[in-house]
């Protein structure tokens, strides 16, 4: 699939994404109101560590590297995000600042969601907030699983 925006139905793309497909149609409708399609060129930065986390990204096409800077070693890939995965959860947890950098490894097409607006919706509708929290918790869990695998690859297993 090539990275294109023409003819993409935002609602259909969002409803089919792994982050939202288990949500009720009315919750998806509410998210669509605060979403836009965006293309990122290869090597383009989606966000930088420490910056304000005002949106998150649902990858439709391409691959995104989650990176951190290690003194003396430069940028290190912590994880990669593929289509039907989500980039970012820092927008959901105060102080709402990115913990890592995100960079497009290939051309990327993503649905960008206004996190500030979604946090407001969560405050006013606890059922929506709970459903969204469950989805964000899944993203966090997947990042932890991925980090565990990377650590095992780097350091091996112990004989305990």
């Amino acid at each position: 699939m090539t990275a294109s925006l023409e003819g993409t139905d935002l609602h259909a793309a969002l409803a089919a994404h792994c982050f939202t497909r288990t949500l009720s149609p009315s919750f998806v409708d509410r998210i669509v109101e605060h979403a836009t399609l965006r293309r990122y060129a290869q090597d383009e930065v989606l966000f930088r560590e420490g910056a304000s986390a005002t949106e998150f990204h649902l990858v439709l096409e391409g691959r995104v590297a989650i990176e951190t800077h290690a003194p003396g070693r430069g940028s290190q890939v912590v994880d990669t995000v593929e289509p039907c995965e989500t980039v970012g959860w820092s927008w959901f947890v105060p102080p709402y600042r990115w913990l890592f950098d995100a960079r497009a490894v290939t051309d990327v097409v993503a649905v960008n969601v206004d996190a500030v607006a979604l946090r407001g919706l969560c405050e006013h509708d606890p059922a929506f907030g709970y459903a969204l929290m469950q989805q964000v918790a899944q993203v966090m869990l997947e990042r932890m699983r991925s980090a565990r695998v990377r650590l095992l690859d780097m350091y091996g297993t112990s004989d305990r």
Side-chain angles (χ1 to χ4, degrees):
M1 187 183 274
T2 59
S4 64
L5 297 178
E6 277 185 42
T8 303
D9 179 342
L10 176 61
H11 192 280
L14 189 63
H17 195 276
C18 296
F19 183 83
T20 54
R21 72 173 153 213
T22 60
L23 295 176
S24 72
S26 66
F27 288 172
V28 173
D29 291 345
R30 293 171 80 182
I31 294 171
V32 167
E33 293 175 15
H34 304 285
T36 57
L37 279 171
R38 169 88 194 272
R39 177 197 323 266
Y40 295 91
Q42 182 178 354
D43 290 324
E44 187 174 349
V45 173
L46 282 69
F47 53 79
R48 293 261 183 224
E49 180 178 348
S52 183
T54 58
E55 64 184 5
F56 65 102
H57 315 270
L58 306 175
V59 178
L60 302 178
E61 300 177 17
R63 182 181 306 123
V64 177
I66 308 298
E67 302 173 331
T68 191
H69 184 78
R73 295 176 67 191
S75 283
Q76 302 293 305
V77 175
V78 175
D79 202 359
T80 54
V81 179
E82 306 282 338
C84 213
E85 293 182 328
T86 304
V87 179
W89 54 264
S90 299
W91 65 272
F92 200 73
V93 182
Y96 311 118
R97 298 238 170 247
W98 293 118
L99 296 175
F100 300 98
D101 295 342
R103 180 184 53 80
V105 175
T106 64
D107 288 347
V108 170
V109 174
V111 176
N112 290 1
V113 182
D114 180 340
V116 177
L118 251 53
R119 287 195 306 260
L121 291 174
C122 290
E123 289 289 325
H124 290 94
D125 183 348
F128 177 77
Y130 181 71
L132 202 61
M133 182 204 59
Q134 289 180 308
Q135 299 308 106
V136 173
Q138 278 299 125
V139 172
M140 295 168 82
L141 179 62
E142 288 305 314
R143 292 293 171 270
M144 291 188 67
R145 284 182 180 150
S146 181
R148 180 177 185 266
V149 168
R150 284 186 186 271
L151 286 170
L152 289 173
D153 284 346
M154 284 175 37
Y155 299 109
T157 58
S158 69
D159 293 334
R160 290 196 261 177

